[in-house]
Amino acid sequence: MGSFLCDVLSIEHEVAIYDTNIERLRFTFNALRFTTMDEIREFAPEVLINAVTVKYTISAFESVLPYLPEKCLLSDIASVKTGLPEFYKECGHPFVSSHPMFGPTFASLSNLSSENAIIISEGDYMGRVFFRDLYNKLHLNIREYTFAEHDETIAYSLSIPFASTLVFAGVMKHQDAPGTTYKRHMAIAQGLMSEDDYLLQEILFNPHTNKQLDLIKEKLTHLQEIIDAKDSEAMKAFLEEVRNNLK
């Protein structure tokens, strides 16, 4: 996502990209490439977008803070916001937090009109305007949530499908003649497992995930009871409930 945003922003803005791993900077387009914090100080950015792995978001901010101008706007695109409200409250910089809810694994980066982005409503007003303008240009569907609402939403929209896919992949066996549904589930599982392990971990370690997992277990237990009893009426009601949820 960092490389993607770098490419998008470099069309209209002067952009520099910093990475502790020099190898990741080799194919950066139309941007300055920094390998030291002193270069960041000299560049004096107006906005700093932190696009590191979720596990290191706060520590990356802390390492670069001494090299930033006092009024530099801090921004994260983290998929889980745990700890960030507290950090922003103490950091002494204006901030804006958002979450582009797509990635190179599943999304077509050339056509994002069916994808979504969340902007946290508690951030700097002009920062929110900046990201709303950026996401509008990418034709994303935009929603505003508080930090708490964001993490609750992510627990529902990501933790449930992530956990369900992991369970499917955890019990699956190789099929010589897989059906269409199986192949579709397999493609989703393979895509998910190509994601960064820390991203998967942080999504699932969201404090709100357990509540969603309890709902999965509850529904699975109910479905198993219906199957054990071969209760046609109960199965019909269950399927009808599922269809209504999908409307």
Side-chain angles (χ1 to χ4, degrees), residues 98-209:
S98 69
H99 181 192
M101 296 183 67
F102 60 92
T105 302
F106 293 114
S108 171
L109 298 182
S110 61
N111 181 14
L112 297 172
S113 59
S114 63
E115 304 294 342
N116 302 291
I118 294 173
I119 297 175
I120 301 301
S121 59
E122 297 163 67
D124 178 81
Y125 173 74
M126 292 307 297
R128 299 202 310 273
V129 169
F130 176 84
F131 275 92
R132 179 170 287 276
D133 181 59
L134 172 63
Y135 293 151
N136 273 325
K137 289 179 180 177
L138 294 173
H139 306 293
L140 292 165
N141 302 296
I142 304 169
R143 298 289 184 271
E144 280 204 13
Y145 296 135
T146 65
F147 279 115
E149 289 169 340
H150 171 273
D151 280 6
E152 290 175 4
T153 299
I154 295 308
Y156 178 80
S157 63
L158 291 184
S159 294
I160 285 181
F162 278 25
S164 300
T165 300
L166 288 173
V167 170
F168 163 77
V171 300
M172 63 175 291
K173 295 181 180 179
H174 176 72
Q175 299 289 316
D176 292 326
T180 301
T181 302
Y182 181 92
K183 287 189 288 187
R184 288 177 177 174
H185 277 285
M186 173 71 85
I188 292 173
Q190 290 171 334
L192 181 67
M193 296 316 297
S194 70
E195 296 283 6
D196 181 85
D197 284 0
Y198 287 124
L199 171 63
L200 299 178
Q201 175 178 290
E202 292 302 322
I203 291 292
L204 293 170
F205 286 177
N206 182 332
H208 301 280
T209 294

Side-chain angles (χ1 to χ4, degrees), residues 3-16 29-31:
S3 297
F4 172 71
L5 289 175
C6 180
D7 286 347
V8 170
L9 290 169
S10 65
I11 297 172
E12 297 181 2
H13 303 274
E14 184 181 12
V15 175
F29 171 75
N30 198 30

